[in-house]
């Protein structure tokens, strides 16, 4: 004989459980902290990229895509771009490549390509000018180098290591400013020799 309890009896024996919903706070583990936020100039470039796509501005779109590509390549290196100053230095690097392309196009008689590159150079220059990063001119740079050389010589630095000492002194004072390091090294070399 088998015992078959009724379903009503089983329900009555079970303790009623109140229905509660568990609220889990919406936490996004994939979001990045505020410290790793992209530089403001990069955000502006991304917005301008969308605008250029909508306006079908081919020259600006090409320039912005080249900057984004270079930024992506730099992000895969040991020193990714985290500040506007680094981004402006990257734009300057693209400008130099564009300047070389203009010279090559003119050398072979391709004025159409030279004109296209000049248009892209103007767009790049516009972004550098509106970046908000302070650019130091050659005259200001020479004055800073002369001060650093004088301070280094007053400290009694040997003639062999004076260039390195001057560069160390200048690195701190030029932090956060748009300076071409090669140009700086050239000026230091001229004034120390």
């Amino acid at each position: 004989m088998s015992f078959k309890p009724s379903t009503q009896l089983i329900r009555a024996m079970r303790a009623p459980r109140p229905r509660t919903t568990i609220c889990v706070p919406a936490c996004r583990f994939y979001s990045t902290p505020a410290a790793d936020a992209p530089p403001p100039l990069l955000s502006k470039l991304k917005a301008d990229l969308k605008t250029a796509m909508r306006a079908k501005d081919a020259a600006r779109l090409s320039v912005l895509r080249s900057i984004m590509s270079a930024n992506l390549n730099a992000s895969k290196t040991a020193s990714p771009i985290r500040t506007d100053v680094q981004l402006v230095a990257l734009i300057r690097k693209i400008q130099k490549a564009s300047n070389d392309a203009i010279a090559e196009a003119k050398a072979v008689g391709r004025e159409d390509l030279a004109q296209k590159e000049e248009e892209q150079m103007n767009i790049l220059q516009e972004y550098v000018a509106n970046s908000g990063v302070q650019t130091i001119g050659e005259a200001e740079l020479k004055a800073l180098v002369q001060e650093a050389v004088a301070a280094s010589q007053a400290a009694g630095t040997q003639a062999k290591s004076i260039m390195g000492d001057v560069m160390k002194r200048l690195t701190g004072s030029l932090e956060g400013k748009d300076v071409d390091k090669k140009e700086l090294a050239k000026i230091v070399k001229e004034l120390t020799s």
Side-chain angles (χ1 to χ4, degrees):
M1 180 161 114
S2 73
F3 179 74
K4 213 175 189 183
S6 70
T7 55
Q8 290 178 345
L9 181 64
I10 293 175
R11 284 185 190 155
M13 291 175 61
R14 284 189 199 160
R17 294 184 208 156
R19 294 195 177 227
T20 58
T21 57
I22 299 173
C23 294
V24 178
C27 179
R28 291 187 259 160
F29 295 107
Y30 57 85
S31 65
T32 57
D36 289 344
L41 181 59
L42 185 62
S43 301
K44 181 183 183 310
L45 291 174
K46 287 180 180 178
D48 286 354
L49 180 70
K50 291 177 188 174
T51 306
M53 283 180 183
R54 289 185 189 115
K56 295 182 176 34
D57 185 357
R60 187 169 299 273
L61 192 58
S62 173
V63 167
L64 290 169
R65 282 184 174 155
S66 69
I67 294 171
M68 293 298 175
S69 173
N71 181 46
L72 181 66
N73 289 340
S75 71
K76 296 175 184 176
T77 63
S79 58
I81 293 176
R82 295 199 170 122
T83 64
D84 281 348
V85 175
Q86 292 172 327
L87 192 57
V88 167
L90 182 72
I91 293 172
R92 292 257 186 230
K93 188 176 177 182
I94 295 170
Q95 271 184 323
K96 287 178 186 172
S98 187
N99 209 5
D100 293 342
I102 290 170
E104 288 177 14
K106 285 183 178 179
V108 255
R110 293 288 308 264
E111 291 300 320
D112 57 328
L113 290 178
Q115 184 180 7
K116 180 182 169 188
E117 285 291 331
E118 285 173 354
E119 185 179 347
Q120 290 180 355
M121 276 281 284
N122 292 337
I123 294 170
L124 287 168
Q125 188 59 39
E126 175 186 324
Y127 280 112
V128 169
N130 296 330
S131 68
V133 176
Q134 182 183 1
T135 304
I136 295 182
E138 191 174 337
E140 293 176 67
L141 202 55
K142 280 188 177 181
L144 286 171
V145 170
Q146 286 174 344
E147 289 175 20
V149 168
S152 187
Q153 288 173 343
T157 308
Q158 296 177 359
K160 286 183 179 180
S161 60
I162 197 164
M163 185 171 171
D165 187 54
V166 169
M167 290 297 281
K168 284 179 190 173
R169 289 174 188 270
L170 289 173
T171 303
S173 64
L174 296 176
E175 189 71 32
K177 297 175 183 155
D178 179 30
V179 178
D180 185 12
K181 301 289 184 190
K182 289 182 181 177
E183 183 69 27
L184 177 64
K186 187 176 108 179
I187 293 171
V188 169
K189 200 172 212 177
E190 286 174 7
L191 293 175
T192 56
S193 59

